[in-house]
Amino acid sequence: MQPLRGTKDILTTEIKIWQKIYEITQKILRVYNYEEIRTPIIESTELFERSIGNFTDIVNKEMYSFEDQKKRSITLRPEGTASIARAFISNKLYADNSIKRLWYLGPMFRYERPQKGRQRQFHQLGIECIGSKTPMADVEVIRLAINLLKDLLVKDEYILEINSIGNLQERELYKNDLVEYLHKYENELDQDSRKRIYQNPLRILDSKNLKTQEILMEGPNLTKYLNKSSSDHFEVVCKNLNYLNIEYKINSYLVRGLDYYNYTAFEIKTKKSNQQNTICGGGRYDNLIEQLGGPSVPAVGWAIGIERLIMLIDKNFIKKIETNSIYIAINNLNNNYMMWDIVKMLEENGLQFELDLTNNNLSKQIKKASQLKKRICLIIGEKEIINNYVTIRWLTTATQQTFKIQELRQYLQYLKRNM
Ligand code: ATP
Ligand code: MG
């Protein structure tokens, strides 16, 4: 049996990295008063159609939707922001008029062609700062993304790209001019872009096709369509990023795939030029909550793809998280009560251990410990029981020491500090 295409098991060694990511995320976000939220994995299909937009790739062709037994259309969430906005409304999180700072981490589902860094079930870590329209909220969330990447020891191989996509009216004007311009070159555009002229022209800016990009370069530029309040907002974001020494590149072709964004849009990309090089995508969405039937509350946030993040994490960092338990080799397993006295001491110290439950002879057990690349094997054999001591064998150097039971407690404390 194989897992479904585009899904995978996350095995035990990899889980350690996930746990570390969770731990570091919690630590960094708590400082800025972000709180974790968990929303359901299934939502009504309508939620995503109304928020992400009907002519986007996600809604058009990537959603996992099905009818439930009462013929309601249900969708496995393709992203987090729509659900958070829904939860914000359903639970009246706006009631106290304060800024809500939320984060989430969980599985998302998109029916795409699986490749490296692109799965059908993948995971996003995201944050949303809801209730502030100042550009400083944009800077706050961007800074947090950068802090996170730094603490996860992602080497400096990434770059923040940022743009202002203005408001709906400004984009509408730009869109009209862009469509008019592109009509002239319709036959030279790539196939996808040709379709998008009629459906979602802004997405053409995302095209990776060189010829299409060349044509776009000569066309209208979105930045020129921004009025004063849009460009002022953007300027404040950039100036604060400068002050914080956060390196960025302004990319006036960056639009992001979802309909609900306005003003600031940004992505963090790896400098490696592979196809799946975006690790983080985000931006401001001031109209989404109102559009979904809630009050008019502005917001800004981002999402990081965990699988893509893990591909970038420093291998030394991963090595550091690998723990090494104490292997316990035991003679006469079923009647070796001294074992429990030692286990109690290990429990007290919170030292990780692994009992050999095979009842094989001791030398076989010690050999097993070496095979498993353990550093320490604690031996409780016949000789040890008679003399009331234990042997600690360092497998890496093949040296060993014995400890009276009364001395062991102290030695374990030493080990705990030094392991
Ligand atoms: P892409 O252009 O690579 O399809 P996207 O614009 O669809 O990305 P977003 O919707 O912005 O992606 O999601 C934010 C992040 O989630 C992405 O930057 C990426 O790291 C991750 N992500 C998105 N889709 C997938 C997927 N199918 N598999 C793994 N990670 C993904
Ligand atoms: Mg995509």
Side-chain angles (χ1 to χ4, degrees):
M1 289 286 277
Q2 292 297 317
L4 290 178
R5 196 165 134 78
T7 70
K8 71 180 190 97
D9 301 306
I10 305 164
L11 298 178
T12 53
T13 15
E14 206 190 326
I15 280 292
K16 294 198 177 95
I17 309 170
W18 285 72
Q19 289 168 337
K20 198 74 192 170
I21 291 174
Y22 191 87
E23 190 188 305
I24 289 183
T25 300
Q26 238 179 340
K27 199 179 93 205
I28 290 180
L29 295 179
R30 195 190 292 126
V31 175
Y32 278 72
N33 204 29
Y34 280 74
E35 294 175 305
E36 185 179 357
I37 181 169
R38 297 189 190 181
T39 62
I41 284 170
I42 50 173
E43 296 273 2
S44 76
T45 302
E46 194 198 348
L47 170 65
F48 303 112
E49 287 173 348
R50 278 175 60 185
S51 54
I52 299 170
N54 265 316
F55 292 114
T56 56
D57 284 351
I58 295 182
V59 170
N60 239 356
K61 51 186 190 200
E62 295 174 358
M63 292 215 294
Y64 272 94
S65 298
F66 61 94
E67 272 188 357
D68 73 1
Q69 302 194 16
K70 287 261 167 68
K71 304 262 178 262
R72 285 171 289 232
S73 183
I74 308 286
T75 296
L76 300 185
R77 61 180 186 194
E79 55 107 41
T81 303
S83 306
I84 303 280
R86 201 266 313 129
F88 183 80
I89 300 167
S90 319
N91 300 287
K92 296 198 172 52
L93 299 185
Y94 47 83
D96 64 359
N97 260 328
S98 65
I99 293 182
K100 287 282 165 309
R101 293 179 164 89
L102 305 170
W103 70 272
Y104 60 88
L105 193 164
M108 307 292 160
F109 304 83
R110 296 185 194 176
Y111 194 83
E112 307 195 63
R113 196 167 68 77
Q115 6 180 346
K116 195 163 188 273
R118 191 177 295 285
Q119 294 168 222
R120 291 183 172 171
Q121 175 173 341
F122 63 101
H123 295 73
Q124 282 183 343
L125 158 65
I127 75 172
E128 316 289 355
C129 177
I130 308 176
S132 166
K133 62 179 193 323
T134 90
M136 294 309 274
D138 311 21
V139 180
E140 174 177 303
V141 299
I142 291 173
R143 173 151 178 93
L144 281 167
I146 300 289
N147 282 358
L148 211 88
L149 295 180
K150 267 205 196 111
D151 271 32
L152 286 167
L153 297 192
V154 174
K155 291 220 191 97
D156 273 350
E157 291 166 341
Y158 52 85
I159 176 82
L160 168 68
E161 291 192 0
I162 179 165
N163 191 22
S164 176
I165 58 170
N167 60 31
L168 213 60
Q169 294 77 24
E170 291 158 347
R171 266 202 317 276
E172 211 49 45
L173 287 177
Y174 168 69
K175 222 188 307 191
N176 291 339
D177 286 359
L178 181 70
V179 169
E180 198 185 305
Y181 167 78
L182 288 176
H183 269 311
K184 288 187 275 187
Y185 301 93
E186 205 167 329
N187 296 331
E188 295 169 61
L189 297 175
D190 62 280
Q191 228 172 13
D192 273 346
S193 299
R194 243 177 278 166
K195 263 190 253 153
R196 285 180 173 141
I197 297 191
Y198 302 95
Q199 297 181 334
N200 193 351
L202 285 185
R203 286 289 282 164
I204 298 175
L205 301 192
D206 255 1
S207 171
K208 303 263 187 307
N209 182 282
L210 289 178
K211 183 69 199 162
T212 301
Q213 281 178 358
E214 238 172 69
I215 295 169
L216 285 168
M217 295 269 256
E218 303 296 320
N221 189 327
L222 177 54
T223 316
K224 303 226 168 72
Y225 289 73
L226 303 185
N227 64 28
K228 185 160 164 31
S229 69
S230 291
S231 32
D232 284 354
H233 185 104
F234 192 51
E235 198 184 322
V236 175
V237 173
C238 293
K239 280 186 169 159
N240 280 276
L241 292 176
N242 291 342
Y243 183 79
L244 289 169
N245 275 327
I246 295 175
E247 197 193 329
Y248 62 89
K249 195 171 100 191
I250 295 175
N251 173 357
S252 50
Y253 294 96
L254 183 99
V255 284
R256 314 263 313 118
L258 319 180
D259 274 359
Y260 54 63
Y261 287 111
N262 64 297
Y263 290 163
T264 316
F266 58 89
E267 291 188 342
I268 299 176
K269 295 181 175 168
T270 51
K271 288 183 180 163
K272 290 189 199 118
S273 64
N274 57 354
Q275 285 276 304
Q276 277 65 249
N277 65 349
T278 309
I279 35 175
C280 175
R284 176 165 278 284
Y285 52 98
D286 292 339
N287 303 309
L288 176 62
I289 292 168
E290 192 176 15
Q291 197 179 308
L292 291 174
S296 167
V297 182
V300 55
W302 49 250
I304 288 178
I306 302 281
E307 285 82 0
R308 290 190 198 172
L309 175 70
I310 287 177
M311 291 186 327
L312 296 178
I313 289 179
D314 192 331
K315 298 289 170 290
N316 291 326
F317 176 76
I318 294 171
K319 245 190 224 141
K320 252 199 325 214
I321 347 180
E322 280 173 12
T323 47
N324 205 330
S325 58
I326 297 173
Y327 201 83
I328 307 187
I330 316 152
N331 195 27
N332 191 11
L333 181 67
N334 295 345
N335 302 299
N336 188 333
Y337 299 111
M338 187 168 137
M339 170 191 106
W340 291 116
D341 299 330
I342 289 153
V343 162
K344 279 184 202 161
M345 283 186 217
L346 292 163
E347 285 175 341
E348 268 167 38
N349 282 294
L351 278 164
Q352 202 181 23
F353 61 89
E354 188 177 340
L355 297 170
D356 186 307
L357 299 176
T358 60
N359 217 1
N360 285 337
N361 67 43
L362 277 182
S363 61
K364 234 179 167 168
Q365 293 185 40
I366 297 166
K367 210 162 161 193
K368 186 77 198 171
S370 300
Q371 269 171 13
L372 292 172
K373 303 231 165 0
K374 302 288 168 188
R375 281 158 65 203
I376 300 174
C377 184
L378 191 152
I379 302 162
I380 318 172
E382 233 168 308
K383 200 167 67 202
E384 279 80 5
I385 293 185
I386 294 166
N387 298 308
N388 205 31
Y389 64 64
V390 294
T391 303
I392 287 192
R393 187 174 168 86
W394 288 84
L395 296 166
T396 33
T397 52
T399 49
Q400 59 183 48
Q401 271 171 292
T402 55
F403 292 91
K404 284 272 172 213
I405 297 298
Q406 307 85 285
E407 300 163 349
L408 184 64
R409 181 168 272 114
Q410 213 178 358
Y411 187 68
L412 291 181
Q413 277 164 10
Y414 161 81
L415 272 188
K416 191 185 173 184
R417 285 193 301 274
N418 294 290
M419 256 178 93

XYZ file of all heavy atoms in Angstrom, residues 358-395:
314
model
N 14.503 -7.508 25.108
C 14.646 -8.780 24.393
C 14.988 -9.952 25.298
O 14.749 -11.095 24.957
C 15.778 -8.688 23.349
O 17.003 -8.374 24.045
C 15.484 -7.630 22.308
N 15.573 -9.660 26.444
C 16.092 -10.718 27.317
C 17.200 -11.534 26.637
O 17.469 -12.669 27.021
C 14.949 -11.635 27.785
C 15.156 -12.075 29.232
O 16.145 -11.670 29.866
N 14.285 -12.917 29.740
N 17.818 -10.972 25.622
C 18.991 -11.611 25.007
C 20.147 -11.571 25.995
O 20.064 -10.882 27.017
C 19.427 -10.845 23.758
C 18.481 -11.108 22.602
O 17.784 -12.130 22.582
N 18.450 -10.186 21.657
N 21.257 -12.279 25.680
C 22.385 -12.155 26.607
C 22.995 -10.755 26.514
O 22.809 -10.042 25.527
C 23.403 -13.268 26.397
C 24.084 -13.129 25.059
O 24.460 -12.033 24.670
N 24.234 -14.242 24.352
N 23.695 -10.360 27.590
C 24.142 -8.976 27.712
C 24.979 -8.499 26.546
O 24.798 -7.392 26.050
C 24.943 -8.791 29.018
C 24.118 -8.553 30.280
C 25.049 -8.348 31.462
C 23.190 -7.353 30.114
N 25.886 -9.354 26.076
C 26.781 -8.854 25.021
C 25.990 -8.572 23.750
O 26.282 -7.627 23.017
C 27.922 -9.833 24.765
O 27.401 -11.058 24.351
N 24.952 -9.349 23.512
C 24.091 -9.087 22.355
C 23.370 -7.749 22.524
O 23.223 -6.977 21.566
C 23.051 -10.202 22.239
C 23.040 -10.852 20.868
C 22.034 -11.945 20.817
C 21.815 -12.365 19.371
N 21.057 -13.590 19.288
N 22.932 -7.485 23.735
C 22.226 -6.224 23.995
C 23.150 -5.022 23.803
O 22.762 -4.009 23.229
C 21.661 -6.215 25.427
C 20.539 -7.236 25.643
C 19.926 -7.123 27.033
O 19.725 -6.027 27.540
N 19.615 -8.257 27.654
N 24.393 -5.169 24.285
C 25.351 -4.054 24.147
C 25.677 -3.823 22.664
O 25.787 -2.695 22.195
C 26.627 -4.335 24.974
C 26.251 -4.407 26.464
C 27.688 -3.259 24.765
C 27.316 -5.007 27.367
N 25.778 -4.910 21.948
C 26.039 -4.813 20.514
C 24.901 -4.055 19.822
O 25.117 -3.215 18.946
C 26.143 -6.225 19.930
C 27.057 -6.326 18.754
C 27.425 -7.762 18.543
C 27.951 -8.021 17.155
N 27.998 -9.466 16.921
N 23.695 -4.370 20.246
C 22.515 -3.695 19.675
C 22.602 -2.188 19.912
O 22.338 -1.388 19.014
C 21.241 -4.251 20.335
C 19.951 -3.747 19.739
C 19.689 -4.460 18.447
C 18.676 -3.729 17.592
N 18.596 -4.342 16.255
N 23.007 -1.834 21.156
C 23.133 -0.414 21.491
C 24.124 0.273 20.553
O 23.875 1.386 20.073
C 23.563 -0.250 22.937
N 25.233 -0.420 20.258
C 26.219 0.155 19.326
C 25.622 0.306 17.942
O 25.793 1.334 17.287
C 27.452 -0.738 19.202
O 28.049 -0.884 20.430
N 24.931 -0.732 17.518
C 24.298 -0.672 16.186
C 23.361 0.520 16.084
O 23.276 1.168 15.048
C 23.465 -1.930 15.959
C 24.216 -3.054 15.288
C 23.369 -4.328 15.322
O 22.174 -4.309 15.621
N 24.007 -5.442 15.001
N 22.656 0.790 17.161
C 21.695 1.900 17.164
C 22.380 3.251 17.350
O 21.737 4.282 17.452
C 20.641 1.693 18.269
C 19.674 0.523 18.063
C 18.817 0.294 19.306
C 18.780 0.766 16.855
N 23.734 3.213 17.409
C 24.550 4.426 17.534
C 24.273 5.195 18.832
O 24.305 6.419 18.877
C 24.344 5.362 16.339
C 24.636 4.743 14.992
C 25.573 5.623 14.207
C 26.248 5.016 13.003
N 25.982 3.649 12.639
N 23.958 4.446 19.911
C 23.769 5.087 21.203
C 25.135 5.472 21.742
O 26.149 4.833 21.431
C 23.095 4.119 22.187
C 21.767 3.606 21.721
C 20.725 4.685 21.788
C 19.477 4.256 21.041
N 18.501 5.304 20.906
N 25.168 6.515 22.584
C 26.452 6.894 23.167
C 26.708 6.149 24.465
O 27.831 5.798 24.777
C 26.479 8.404 23.420
C 26.758 9.191 22.154
C 26.265 10.605 22.278
N 27.007 11.337 23.303
C 26.527 12.413 23.924
N 25.309 12.854 23.662
N 27.252 13.040 24.810
N 25.617 5.935 25.226
C 25.801 5.335 26.551
C 24.943 4.084 26.696
O 23.764 4.086 26.356
C 25.368 6.335 27.647
C 26.220 7.605 27.566
C 25.464 5.699 29.031
C 25.764 8.690 28.497
N 25.560 3.027 27.244
C 24.790 1.840 27.591
C 24.944 1.621 29.098
O 26.055 1.557 29.620
C 25.309 0.635 26.811
S 24.337 -0.841 27.097
N 23.807 1.557 29.778
C 23.837 1.323 31.218
C 23.559 -0.169 31.413
O 22.547 -0.681 30.920
C 22.764 2.202 31.863
C 22.753 2.354 33.380
C 22.136 3.699 33.744
C 21.990 1.245 34.046
N 24.463 -0.841 32.094
C 24.366 -2.303 32.153
C 23.959 -2.771 33.558
O 24.561 -2.364 34.555
C 25.724 -2.941 31.758
C 26.101 -2.455 30.345
C 25.650 -4.467 31.809
C 27.559 -2.635 30.006
N 22.920 -3.588 33.607
C 22.497 -4.177 34.881
C 22.530 -5.694 34.712
O 21.540 -6.308 34.302
C 21.072 -3.729 35.290
C 20.876 -2.225 35.017
C 20.807 -4.051 36.764
C 19.440 -1.749 35.220
N 23.693 -6.275 34.961
C 23.850 -7.725 34.806
C 23.882 -8.420 36.153
O 23.649 -7.787 37.195
N 24.210 -9.702 36.103
C 24.252 -10.500 37.330
C 25.260 -9.932 38.328
O 24.969 -9.748 39.503
C 24.684 -11.912 36.960
C 23.750 -12.975 37.462
C 24.090 -14.298 36.797
O 24.181 -14.339 35.540
O 24.305 -15.260 37.525
N 26.470 -9.622 37.783
C 27.552 -9.105 38.609
C 27.132 -7.816 39.292
O 27.382 -7.595 40.474
C 28.736 -8.824 37.657
C 30.083 -8.723 38.297
C 31.179 -8.768 37.211
C 31.081 -7.529 36.377
N 31.497 -7.268 35.134
N 26.427 -6.981 38.535
C 25.987 -5.687 39.064
C 25.011 -5.898 40.221
O 25.113 -5.244 41.266
C 25.313 -4.855 37.958
C 26.278 -4.129 37.028
C 26.887 -5.017 35.946
O 26.476 -6.194 35.860
O 27.793 -4.564 35.227
N 24.084 -6.839 40.041
C 23.077 -7.046 41.091
C 23.732 -7.552 42.373
O 23.463 -7.054 43.469
C 21.981 -8.012 40.593
C 21.225 -7.299 39.463
C 21.030 -8.413 41.727
C 20.054 -8.008 38.924
N 24.626 -8.525 42.216
C 25.293 -9.071 43.399
C 26.045 -7.987 44.161
O 25.968 -7.873 45.373
C 26.260 -10.215 43.004
C 25.446 -11.386 42.461
C 27.123 -10.665 44.188
C 26.273 -12.421 41.729
N 26.730 -7.103 43.417
C 27.566 -6.093 44.076
C 26.872 -4.753 44.310
O 27.492 -3.796 44.773
C 28.830 -5.857 43.249
C 29.651 -7.124 43.167
O 29.949 -7.735 44.187
N 29.955 -7.560 41.954
N 25.617 -4.680 43.873
C 24.842 -3.454 44.054
C 25.488 -2.225 43.386
O 25.600 -1.166 43.968
C 24.640 -3.203 45.558
C 23.394 -2.352 45.800
O 22.437 -2.437 45.020
N 23.423 -1.537 46.843
N 25.895 -2.430 42.153
C 26.350 -1.281 41.366
C 25.890 -1.415 39.921
O 25.339 -2.451 39.536
C 27.870 -1.088 41.445
C 28.735 -2.195 40.868
C 28.715 -2.510 39.499
C 29.622 -2.892 41.695
C 29.533 -3.501 38.980
C 30.437 -3.889 41.174
C 30.387 -4.191 39.826
O 31.199 -5.173 39.321
N 26.060 -0.345 39.139
C 25.750 -0.452 37.701
C 27.007 -0.097 36.914
O 27.899 0.579 37.418
C 24.619 0.495 37.249
C 23.294 0.108 37.874
C 24.972 1.941 37.544
N 27.037 -0.587 35.707
C 28.154 -0.244 34.825
C 27.647 0.728 33.763
O 26.567 0.526 33.195
C 28.690 -1.507 34.135
O 29.057 -2.425 35.167
C 29.885 -1.197 33.250
N 28.417 1.774 33.554
C 28.082 2.693 32.460
C 29.170 2.598 31.414
O 30.354 2.792 31.699
C 27.921 4.133 32.981
C 26.596 4.182 33.765
C 27.946 5.136 31.832
C 26.107 5.542 34.118
N 28.746 2.212 30.224
C 29.715 2.005 29.152
C 29.504 3.087 28.081
O 28.384 3.272 27.584
C 29.479 0.613 28.550
C 30.500 0.186 27.540
C 30.228 -1.271 27.152
N 30.985 -1.673 25.985
C 32.228 -2.140 26.043
N 32.821 -2.320 27.204
N 32.861 -2.473 24.926
N 30.589 3.813 27.809
C 30.552 4.814 26.728
C 30.882 4.110 25.430
O 32.005 3.668 25.224
C 31.552 5.943 26.999
C 31.085 6.818 28.124
C 31.270 6.597 29.455
C 30.333 8.014 28.001
N 30.676 7.588 30.182
C 30.087 8.484 29.319
C 29.821 8.756 26.924
C 29.360 9.635 29.574
C 29.118 9.913 27.192
C 28.888 10.348 28.495
N 29.883 3.996 24.571
C 30.079 3.174 23.375
C 30.981 3.836 22.355
O 31.645 3.163 21.574
C 28.714 2.858 22.753
C 27.836 2.016 23.686
C 26.399 2.016 23.212
C 28.355 0.590 23.792
